[in-house]
Structure formats: C-alpha cells, structure tokens
Amino acid sequence: EIVMTQSPATLSVSLGERATLSCRASQSVSSNLAWYQQKPGQAPRLLIYDASTRATGVPARFSGSGSGTEFTLTISSLQSEDFAVYYCQQYNNWPPLTFGGGTKVEIK
Amino acid sequence: QLQLQESGPGLVKPSETLSLTCSVSGGSISSSSDFWAWIRQRPGKGQEWIGSIYFSGSTYYNPSLKTRVSISVDTSKDHFSLKLSSATAADTAIYYCARQSGDYGAYYFDYWGQGILVTVSS
C-alpha cells in the first residue's frame, strides 16, 4: 500500500497570502496524484488531477506541481472561500487508492 | 451535469449489514469507461477508499475491508450499491459515492455525492 503523508497538518495564512501545501508518497506514483478541497459539511471537490491539471471551474490561483514522490499544491493568494481542508490522493498503484491525512488551511 | 445521491438507513445495528445505494443522474453508468466508487470518512478523520466497480461488474476492494464488502451495479436503474457486513462502531462514518474518471488504469474522483451519515449503534 502506498502511504501518502501531508504537511503541515495545519497551515495558518492571512488573506491574500500564498499557501504551500506538501504531499509525499511512500513510493513513486508518477504524476497520478489528485488534490481535493473539503469544506465543513460538504463532500470533497476535485481541484487538481494528474499532479498539475486544474479541474473544470477551478480558479487559476490553485496550482499543482511535482512527480514521483514529492508534490505541492500552491494557492497563490488566499481568498476567504479557500479556507478548508485539502487532501492529496494517489491513483497510480491500486488497489488500494490512498489519501493523505489532510492539511487544514485556517485564517491567521 | 452529473449528479450522485446516496441513500439508505442512517442507523445500523452492530453485527448487521450496512447497505447503501448511489443513484446517478445526468449521465449513464454504462455510457463511459469510468469506475464508480464508495469512500468513507470516519468522524474527525480523512478519506478511506472502500471499493470501486466498473459498469461491466468488475470490482476492486480495499484489502482492509475486502472480506466484508460487496459492491454491485444495476445499469438498468443507473445505480450502484454497497454492502458492508458485520458492522461495528468503527464503521460509523459519512459514506460518499463518487465517479472515478481517467484512463490507462489511473482514475481520480471527479464527481461526488453529498454523503450520508451512517451510525452503527444498538
């Protein structure tokens, strides 16, 4: 099983600032990595797939990078609606499909 | 716009079977090369993939749940179902159904249902 590790667990950011979230895989997942955003009481929403491709309707301030075992989600300028929990997920080698533990982005 | 909706009992007794259905609208389960999946989120925790099914009926399960899980599909009704046997309190979670899109064996979750809370308690 591929273990996904996200850091930090909590990220405190001010409005308008840049946020950088990390995700590490226990073995290479090539570029088969997705990022999801989850707000309280809602289902996760796909933001990024194939490590760097934005899903339909996702604002350009969200960008993904990386390949192999190291990945980054960057939010260039935090908006109020971006405060949420973000999960990475690998789909290179399954079953099982595995998620990271999440990074909570909160207001500083 | 594709929509998925979970349905089923919100309360299940310990040792009984948890059964949920996901209804798909705005598209057909059998019209594409996608998989259809169940994912759960235990209270205060992250996401756990339970299993996936292809419209043809091929299934893939999380090894940690494999002995208790069964996923089936009814293409005539555009829905797929989850059965988790011998439920315990540890199965209390929000259960989501989702579409898995992609190709060449690499599939991510692009559409999700709103989720349904299932509590296992006597």
Side-chain angles (χ1 to χ4, degrees):
Chain A
E1 173 176 328
I2 297 177
V3 178
M4 307 301 293
T5 303
Q6 290 187 243
S7 60
T10 303
L11 187 61
S12 298
V13 186
S14 299
L15 282 171
E17 285 191 344
R18 181 186 195 92
T20 303
L21 289 66
S22 295
C23 175
R24 174 177 292 176
S26 61
Q27 64 189 74
S28 176
V29 297
S30 185
S31 294
N32 294 317
L33 183 110
W35 289 94
Y36 302 87
Q37 176 193 66
Q38 187 176 31
K39 297 179 180 179
Q42 296 185 18
R45 169 197 178 196
L46 177 67
L47 293 178
I48 301 285
Y49 63 95
D50 294 346
S52 61
T53 303
R54 274 190 303 275
T56 303
V58 175
R61 64 181 180 273
F62 291 91
S63 63
S65 63
S67 66
T69 62
E70 300 283 343
F71 300 88
T72 300
L73 175 69
T74 302
I75 311 171
S76 60
S77 177
L78 261 290
Q79 305 299 302
S80 57
E81 62 266 31
D82 300 336
F83 294 98
V85 180
Y86 293 83
Y87 295 97
C88 62
Q89 178 242 328
Q90 70 82 20
Y91 49 95
N92 186 67
N93 190 349
W94 65 289
L97 293 157
T98 50
F99 291 84
T103 291
K104 180 180 181 180
V105 177
E106 63 176 26
I107 300 174
K108 188 174 184 180
Chain B
Q1 176 81 349
L2 192 73
Q3 291 187 319
L4 294 86
Q5 178 70 57
E6 305 87 352
S7 60
L11 181 63
V12 175
K13 289 183 167 54
S15 80
E16 294 190 344
T17 295
L18 183 159
S19 297
L20 297 174
T21 295
C22 181
S23 300
V24 178
S25 59
S28 172
I29 272 186
S30 55
S31 67
S32 64
S33 59
D34 302 317
F35 283 83
W36 304 89
W38 288 97
I39 299 140
R40 71 181 182 181
Q41 185 170 26
R42 298 178 195 176
K45 303 294 184 182
Q47 315 297 331
E48 178 182 26
W49 172 72
I50 299 170
S52 302
I53 189 165
Y54 196 55
F55 76 91
S56 63
S58 299
T59 52
Y60 298 84
Y61 299 133
N62 192 322
S64 67
L65 297 167
K66 190 173 184 176
T67 59
R68 298 195 293 130
V69 172
S70 176
I71 297 176
S72 58
V73 64
D74 186 335
T75 55
S76 67
K77 296 181 179 178
D78 276 325
H79 74 214
F80 60 106
S81 300
L82 168 71
K83 291 188 185 300
L84 182 63
S85 63
S86 305
T88 71
D91 296 314
T92 293
I94 297 172
Y95 286 77
Y96 297 100
C97 59
R99 186 181 81 169
Q100 260 180 281
S101 190
D103 54 26
Y104 303 111
Y107 295 82
Y108 48 87
F109 304 107
D110 62 347
Y111 285 92
W112 296 64
Q114 66 184 25
I116 183 169
L117 174 62
V118 179
T119 301
V120 180
S121 175
S122 55

